[in-house]
Amino acid sequence: MPYLTRRQFTSGLAATPLAFAGSAAGFADDGFIALKASPAKAQLLAQGEKATDVWAYGRTVPGPLLRVRQGERLKVRFINALPMASTIHWHGIRIDNAMDGVAGLTQDPVPPGGRFDYAFTAPDAGTYWYHPHFRTSEQLARGLYGLLIVEEPTPPGFDADLPLAIDDWRLTEDGAIHEASLGAMMDKSHAGRLGNWVTVNGISGPALTLPTNGWVRLRLVNTSNARVLRLKIGTLGGRVIALDGQPVTGTQEDAKILTLAPAQRADIALRVPGEPDTKMELLAMAGDREISIATLATRGPAVQAHPMPQLPPNPLPVLSGLQDARQVELRMAGGARGTMREATHKGQVLTIRELVRAGQAWSFNGISGRTEDPLFRVGRGQTVVVNMINDTAWPHAMHFHGHHVQVIERNGKKVQNAPWRDTELMERGEVVKVAFPAENVGKWMIHCHMLEHQAAGMATWFAVA
Ligand code: C2O
Ligand code: CU
C-alpha cells in the first residue's frame, strides 16, 4: 500500500508517527493519492521573516513525501490548481512510458483546473523525486518538487531514515522568488539559474537530530535548477551506498566531498557518534568557502551497536552486447564562450543571433530543442552506447529518462563497474561514453538537467520499440 506523509522532516528520528491525508493531499476512494499543485506560502527565510509566495504540491515545500514499496503500484491523482499548465515527471523511475509526465511527448500538459491520474509500478527501491515537466525551469524555481522513496521489501535496518531535499533559490531581498530573471538569457547561456538562498527540506539551516550511536540513511537530493552541490560528507564519516536510487556495488571509498549535480541523489550511510548531544554540520562548498546548510545533533540514549546495513540489489538489466551496440553520437555545443555559430531550431537553420532571439543558446548535434523525430530509434533489448561530447565551456548534467546508464569510457579511458545513474555530470570539454540496454518501450527524453540549458535547446529524445 503506498502511503504519504506530511511529517516535518526536521524531526529526523522516526519517532513522529506517519501522518496520512492532509488538507491538500489525501486518499480518494479509489486508492489514488490526491496531489494538488497550487500557489502557497513557504517559510524559506528564517522564522519571523517574510514568507515566500511559491508554487507547491500539497501546499508544502518540498511537496508531500511519497513512499511506495518496491514492485507495488503508486497511484497519484494530480490536480492542477496553478495558473499555468503542468505535469508530473517521476524522476529516475524506470516507469511505464505513458506515466513519464513529459508534456508534448508522453502526454498533453494538464491545463489549469485539470487533472491527470498517474499509476505505475516502481521496479527499483531507492531515492527518487518528482517535479513538473512543462516549463520546468520556471515551475521548479517556484517550488514545485517533492521526494519519492521506493522502499526495499524488507527494511535494511537503519536506525533512522533522513531524506534531505537540498534546494538553491534565487530570492529578492524581501524573500520573494526573483521573477524578473525567470527565463533570463544570461542564465540560459551561462551556468543556469544559480540561486542565493539554500534550503534543506524547505527550511534554511534546519536542526536535525540523529539517534546516538545508530546508523542513519541520509537521502540527499539536489533539487536545484542548476547548482552543482559539493557536500563535505567526509567530515561526517559518511559512506555512499546508493547513487540515483541504485545501490553501489563493491567497496566504495568514503566520499570526502560528494558532488551532486542537479537532479542527482546519493544515499549515505552515516555512523552516528556514540555520545548524546554531539553536534555536527552538513557543509557545502561555495567556491573555496564552506557554508553550513544544516546542523545535526545526536539525541537520545545510544542505540545498540550493529554492523552497517546493506542494501539489496535492484532488478536492473545486465549490460551485455557492447560489441554490437548501437552507437550514437551526441555533440553538445553553444553557450557563452562557445564556438557554435548556427543551429537548426524548429526546422530552420538560425544564426546565433536568431537563436538567442528565439530563447535558444545550445544544441545537440546542431539541433536546438526537441524535434518531431527522435535522435535515434532502437528495438527493445538493444544495447546503446551514447558518446557525449561536451564541446562547450560549461558543465552539464545529462539526464536519461526511463533508463539508468553506465559510464564505460571517460575522456578516452575505459571505466569499469561505474555506478548506474540516471543523471551524469560532465565537466567542460569532457567526452563521456555511456551504455545501457534499451529495455523500456516508449519515447524517452535525454536532456541537460540544468533546467535553463534544457529550456534553451539541450533536449532531445529516443524511441524504443
Ligand atoms: Cu528530472 Cu526530464 O527530468
Ligand atoms: Cu547543461
Side-chain angles (χ1 to χ4, degrees):
M1 186 62 182
Y3 56 97
L4 138 165
T5 165
R6 289 162 57 82
R7 162 171 72 128
Q8 274 302 334
F9 293 108
T10 45
S11 61
L13 291 171
T16 323
L18 298 176
F20 288 83
S23 55
F27 283 109
D29 293 343
D30 50 6
F32 273 84
I33 296 165
L35 189 60
K36 187 193 264 186
S38 67
K41 295 230 182 248
Q43 195 60 50
L44 305 178
L45 300 182
Q47 279 301 330
E49 294 189 50
K50 273 209 179 126
T52 304
D53 285 305
V54 296
W55 290 358
Y57 294 112
R59 306 192 71 80
T60 62
V61 175
L65 175 63
L66 300 177
R67 286 181 179 266
V68 65
R69 203 144 293 150
Q70 181 174 22
E72 289 187 358
R73 239 170 139 64
L74 181 64
K75 294 159 79 177
V76 176
R77 176 155 301 142
F78 169 53
I79 301 163
N80 187 1
L82 299 168
M84 192 187 281
S86 194
T87 62
I88 302 182
H89 168 58
W90 311 92
H91 183 113
I93 304 282
R94 298 188 294 127
I95 202 169
D96 290 349
N97 190 245
M99 298 291 127
D100 200 39
V102 178
L105 189 68
T106 66
Q107 69 168 94
D108 290 331
V110 181
R115 47 184 63 195
F116 190 93
D117 284 352
Y118 293 96
F120 58 88
T121 304
D124 302 320
T127 304
Y128 301 91
W129 66 302
Y130 59 94
H131 62 73
H133 221 294
F134 179 74
R135 296 180 63 167
T136 319
S137 119
E138 169 172 359
Q139 297 194 7
L140 215 93
R142 290 184 181 275
L144 286 168
Y145 62 88
L147 302 192
L148 167 59
I149 290 175
V150 182
E151 297 177 333
E152 291 78 18
T154 348
F158 286 93
D159 302 293
D161 190 305
L162 193 53
L164 302 178
I166 307 172
D167 201 6
D168 172 45
W169 304 79
R170 188 182 292 177
L171 302 179
T172 64
E173 299 249 304
D174 57 356
I177 303 286
H178 198 287
E179 290 183 327
S181 60
L182 286 168
M185 184 42 78
M186 181 68 188
D187 293 328
K188 284 179 164 181
S189 60
H190 290 72
R193 184 181 174 91
L194 299 177
N196 51 14
W197 191 254
V198 177
T199 58
V200 176
N201 296 339
I203 298 166
S204 166
L208 310 161
T209 57
L210 308 173
T212 308
N213 205 41
W215 282 99
V216 172
R217 181 179 191 170
L218 288 182
R219 299 175 184 264
L220 306 173
V221 185
N222 186 352
T223 62
S224 307
N225 275 51
R227 171 86 61 190
V228 177
L229 294 168
R230 301 194 198 270
L231 302 168
K232 285 194 87 179
I233 297 304
T235 51
L236 300 174
R239 181 171 290 231
V240 176
I241 54 169
L243 291 168
D244 294 356
Q246 303 297 350
V248 290
T249 48
T251 34
Q252 290 288 310
E253 302 239 336
D254 289 7
K256 297 217 160 38
I257 298 206
L258 174 75
T259 300
L260 214 54
Q264 288 187 327
R265 290 89 63 211
D267 288 38
I268 308 292
L270 197 67
R271 180 67 210 269
V272 182
E275 288 294 308
D277 300 313
T278 308
K279 295 213 165 33
M280 296 169 286
E281 314 261 7
L282 180 54
L283 298 171
M285 307 298 297
D288 46 16
R289 271 183 326 123
E290 293 173 353
I291 57 166
S292 171
I293 60 169
T295 59
L296 307 162
T298 58
R299 174 164 314 160
V303 303
Q304 212 184 349
H306 58 90
M308 183 175 106
Q310 303 290 321
L311 299 179
N314 278 326
L316 280 171
V318 190
L319 185 62
S320 62
L322 275 176
Q323 325 68 250
D324 359 84
R326 173 69 180 279
Q327 304 282 337
V328 179
E329 183 171 289
L330 198 162
R331 183 176 289 271
M332 304 137 85
R337 301 196 284 281
T339 53
M340 184 174 88
R341 290 290 158 260
E342 57 176 40
T344 305
H345 178 58
K346 294 189 174 154
Q348 290 202 323
V349 181
L350 303 183
T351 64
I352 188 81
R353 281 229 171 133
E354 293 166 324
L355 285 166
V356 165
R357 241 177 277 136
Q360 301 294 295
W362 307 90
S363 65
F364 287 160
N365 296 352
I367 296 169
S368 213
R370 203 171 69 208
T371 46
E372 284 289 304
D373 286 325
L375 179 67
F376 61 96
R377 294 176 197 275
V378 285
R380 177 164 192 252
Q382 171 77 52
T383 299
V384 178
V385 172
V386 183
N387 189 25
M388 303 191 290
I389 304 155
N390 183 1
D391 195 4
T392 80
W394 304 88
H396 301 287
M398 295 297 288
H399 172 46
F400 288 72
H401 280 219
H403 299 77
H404 277 65
V405 304
Q406 199 174 37
V407 173
I408 55 166
E409 202 179 300
R410 188 179 286 275
N411 303 323
K413 282 214 191 74
K414 296 252 180 293
V415 178
Q416 301 278 338
N417 297 318
W420 287 94
R421 306 207 70 139
D422 59 55
T423 306
E424 186 65 40
L425 179 64
M426 293 181 67
E427 300 296 345
R428 56 190 292 180
E430 278 199 309
V431 179
V432 173
K433 270 190 190 172
V434 296
F436 65 96
E439 99 297 354
N440 207 352
V441 169
K443 301 172 171 182
W444 306 106
M445 281 198 78
I446 304 174
H447 63 85
C448 180
H449 221 289
M450 281 133 181
L451 299 170
E452 293 67 38
H453 293 176
Q454 179 190 0
M458 294 196 120
T460 186
W461 63 287
F462 65 101
V464 183

